[in-house]
Each structure stands twice: as structure tokens, then as C-alpha cells.
Amino acid sequence: MTERRLLLVNGPNLNLLGTRQPEVYGTTTLAQIESRVAEVAGQAGLQVRTVQSNHEGVLVDAIHAAAGDCAAIVINPAAYSHTSVAIADALRSVGLPVAEVHLSNIHAREQFRHHSYVSAVAEMVVAGAGPLGYEMAVQYLVERLAR
Ligand code: DQA
């Protein structure tokens, strides 16, 4: 049932959360984030499908597969935010509401992180809130889907 499911997409290197540059990304693991997202979405009656990949094409395929299967997408494209026209185009192609999450405040970091191709497709963007940003994204989409 399309309207009962969110797709949670995490891009390259996010599988290493917990040990990866904890001074930037904190110590929460991806498994913990995924489980919290499932909990928050579950409270609103939404299931969550998760994908994490270090490969751009795998992420594009997962986004395509969300068409007709999911109602909305939460995505942290990680480094692909700053480079991938393919991921932005895939999101554009499926036409689902998109919430973009960054654990860190990309605007307070290196210049090359300030631009995200995905932000032009996203309805909402949260950056710098840490793992809480994923919950905010889910909360936004829950309200958005209820409209
Ligand atoms: C990130 C920010 C990106 O610039 C970086 O490449 C990441 C993670 C974040 O969540 O803060 O891998 O998307």
C-alpha cells in the first residue's frame, strides 16, 4: 500500500556512522537512526523501507523502485548531494515528496558542501540537527501526507 510506506535512503559512508568522524557526525549508528525512524513513522501508521549504499546507481534504482510502492522519501544523499545530477533526476522522476537530511550543517562547512543538487527537488531540508533531523523529516512528511 503506497500510502503507508516511506523510503529512507542513506548515501555513501553513512554505513560507518558511529565511528566515522564522530566530532562531525556524532556517535549514533545508522542502525539506531533507522530504528528511530521506523519508530516515529510507525507511530503515524507508516512503514519504512530502508536502503543504504555506497554506489550511486544502487541509490538511483532504489528511488525508481519507490514509485508505486512508497508515499514519500527521506534521503541523506551524503557526498552525492554535492555531485549527483542522477540522484536529483531520479527523485524528480518519481514525483514523490522528498525530505533531505544532513546530520551536519553543510552550510557551515567547506564551500563544496554548500550546494546540494537534491535541495532543488526536496520540499524540506534539514541540516545540522544530527539524528533528530531524520525525525523532523518524518514528522514533516507525516503532516504533508495527511494534507
Ligand atoms: C552529510 C554531509 C555531506 O557533505 C557528507 O559528504 C556526508 C554526510 C551529512 O549528513 O552531514 O557524507 O550528508
Side-chain angles (χ1 to χ4, degrees), residues 103-140:
L103 291 153
S104 64
N105 179 359
I106 54 175
H107 303 289
R109 299 181 64 195
E110 303 96 317
Q111 186 74 35
F112 69 85
R113 295 185 202 274
H114 294 185
H115 176 261
S116 165
Y117 285 100
V118 169
S119 296
V121 190
E123 286 192 12
M124 72 88 84
V125 181
V126 54
L132 182 63
Y134 287 87
E135 293 182 39
M136 295 164 77
V138 171
Q139 210 61 60
Y140 168 79

Side-chain angles (χ1 to χ4, degrees), residues 12 14 20 25 76 78-79 81-82 101-104 106 109 113:
L14 295 174
R20 173 195 183 198
Y25 298 114
N76 182 346
S81 315
H82 320 301
V101 177
H102 298 282
L103 291 153
S104 64
I106 54 175
R109 299 181 64 195
R113 295 185 202 274

